[in-house]
Amino acid sequence: MEKSDAIRHAVRQVPAPELPAGFTPRLMERMRREAARRERRETWLLTAGGVGCFTALISACVTALWPDFRLRIPDFALPRPELPHIGLPHIELPRLALPEEDKSLVAMCVCIALAFLVLLLADLMIHRHIASSRN
């Protein structure tokens, strides 16, 4: 017990170290820069992920709902890479056979879903902008 009391007494006797001049403002500025960098990275990743999801959704809908749809641009010919066969089964999206009168209804539902997703992304971006302007 005497040793721990002696250590506590010695620690209390030592003066607190002084911070260098301008330490607090430099630390706060660094924290603000890190927060801004993190927010920009999150916004970029969110936007890239949203664009990727929208692209996948649109291409899946076009592939499933309109199997006869072919993109025909004469100068746009990219070689299709052949992936090595590693024993996995070939995955193919299902093809839906809809009557002609239902195709316009399905197209309208897909457009409404896409509009909802776009508005949801816009809402998120606006809320992030408002939150960042408050800080």
Side-chain angles (χ1 to χ4, degrees):
M1 289 299 254
E2 289 180 14
K3 287 184 181 180
S4 63
D5 290 338
I7 292 173
R8 277 194 205 112
H9 183 66
V11 168
R12 288 185 189 137
Q13 296 292 332
V14 175
E18 290 192 28
L19 297 175
F23 175 78
T24 304
R26 285 194 319 256
L27 178 65
M28 295 304 291
E29 180 60 31
R30 190 164 130 201
M31 290 176 66
R32 281 189 206 101
R33 278 195 316 258
E34 287 295 322
R37 184 181 308 144
R38 185 176 57 246
E39 186 171 334
R40 280 193 308 268
R41 183 175 43 236
E42 288 173 0
T43 302
W44 185 86
L45 287 173
L46 180 67
T47 304
V51 168
C53 287
F54 289 148
T55 304
L57 178 67
I58 290 170
S59 63
C61 287
V62 166
T63 302
L65 297 175
W66 292 280
D68 298 332
F69 179 79
R70 298 283 182 260
L71 182 63
R72 291 187 179 97
I73 301 175
D75 296 333
F76 186 75
L78 293 176
R80 267 182 95 173
E82 290 297 324
L83 298 175
H85 183 68
I86 56 175
L88 295 175
H90 179 70
I91 298 172
E92 190 171 323
L93 291 173
R95 303 234 185 251
L96 302 175
L98 296 173
E100 284 299 319
E101 58 270 4
D102 288 346
K103 282 189 178 182
S104 62
L105 179 64
V106 171
M108 184 181 70
C109 289
V110 168
C111 288
I112 290 172
L114 288 174
F116 173 75
L117 290 174
V118 167
L119 290 173
L120 189 65
L121 182 64
D123 178 62
L124 180 65
M125 299 295 281
I126 290 169
H127 275 89
R128 291 191 99 180
H129 180 71
I130 290 171
S132 68
S133 66
R134 286 183 185 163
N135 294 333

